[in-house]
Amino acid sequence: MAQSGSQEGPLLSGVALRYASALFELAREANAVDAVAGDLARFDQLIRGSSDLQRLISNPIFTAEEQSNAIGAILDKAGLSGLAGNFIRLVASKRRLFALPDMIRAFQNLVSDAKGIVRAQVTLAEAPSDTVLNEIKAALRDVAKADVAVDVKIDPSLIGGLIVKMGSRMVDASVRTKLNSIRLAMKEVR
């Protein structure tokens, strides 16, 4: 997604939220919110795991027909149909695939809000073990006083430690940040 200072950021967020809200209402009426959320999460994993699919959804060189045909084949092969499949096909036909990852994120946020679940993004230098992830979830649950859905991102440049974003709060306990603080302090001593 674009940086918040750019022109594209608010526009993209608006488009993503409108589409996600419409899908959420349809899924709620059909009593299929969890099924749609699961299907969208599966498709999001396909996007993250394939540079070719990332290129397809973000490259404006492909025509709407080419994108629709390719997305249709991917959905069929992945066994994604129903509301989520139809939604993704609609997004492709409207040439909005570039916003699909944000639409999926917006839909997940709507589901979390409806269930009273707080979303948190935890960035680590390497993939955590199940034990560490459960400890992080427990600590965040204690702070939020609610169920917490944790999105884990891996960023080796952190060296170690973690960065947690939950709502409007952010805690940066990464080794990279601590080293930068020490570096700054050392410059001031000179």
Side-chain angles (χ1 to χ4, degrees):
M1 191 164 122
Q3 296 297 320
S4 58
S6 77
Q7 294 289 341
E8 191 176 305
L11 172 68
L12 191 56
S13 297
V15 167
L17 187 57
R18 279 195 306 277
Y19 274 76
S21 296
L23 178 60
F24 183 75
E25 290 305 317
L26 285 172
R28 195 161 49 182
E29 288 172 13
N31 203 19
V33 171
D34 290 335
V36 171
D39 286 347
L40 289 178
R42 283 181 42 217
F43 196 78
D44 192 45
Q45 287 297 76
L46 290 175
I47 293 171
R48 291 173 193 254
S50 170
S51 58
D52 289 338
L53 184 52
Q54 288 170 16
R55 252 188 317 282
L56 174 71
I57 68 171
S58 64
N59 195 332
I61 284 182
F62 296 107
T63 66
E65 184 179 346
E66 290 169 332
Q67 285 182 325
S68 292
N69 289 341
I71 290 296
I74 292 166
L75 291 171
D76 292 343
K77 186 167 176 82
L80 292 170
S81 59
L83 275 174
N86 290 341
F87 174 77
I88 295 167
R89 289 174 199 273
L90 172 73
V91 170
S93 72
K94 299 289 184 184
R95 299 207 31 92
R96 297 279 189 262
L97 279 177
F98 65 92
L100 185 59
D102 290 323
M103 291 174 193
I104 293 170
R105 210 168 5 269
F107 184 86
Q108 291 168 338
N109 290 339
L110 290 170
V111 171
S112 294
D113 290 347
K115 292 182 176 187
I117 298 171
V118 176
R119 293 194 76 80
Q121 183 182 67
V122 177
T123 307
L124 301 151
E126 58 187 33
S129 67
D130 289 340
T131 305
V132 170
L133 187 57
N134 288 334
E135 288 174 7
I136 292 170
K137 287 179 182 179
L140 293 174
R141 195 172 24 254
D142 290 345
V143 169
K145 305 219 183 316
D147 285 335
V148 178
V150 176
D151 298 320
V152 176
K153 288 180 67 180
I154 307 302
D155 180 359
S157 73
L158 296 182
I159 303 169
L162 65 137
I163 299 173
V164 178
K165 294 177 188 174
M166 188 165 61
S168 62
R169 295 180 277 189
M170 181 177 123
V171 175
D172 187 341
S174 66
V175 173
R176 177 183 65 193
T177 299
K178 289 178 183 178
L179 288 173
N180 286 338
S181 296
I182 292 169
R183 197 174 291 127
L184 260 169
M186 295 300 287
K187 283 182 180 179
E188 289 175 6
V189 170
R190 290 186 200 182

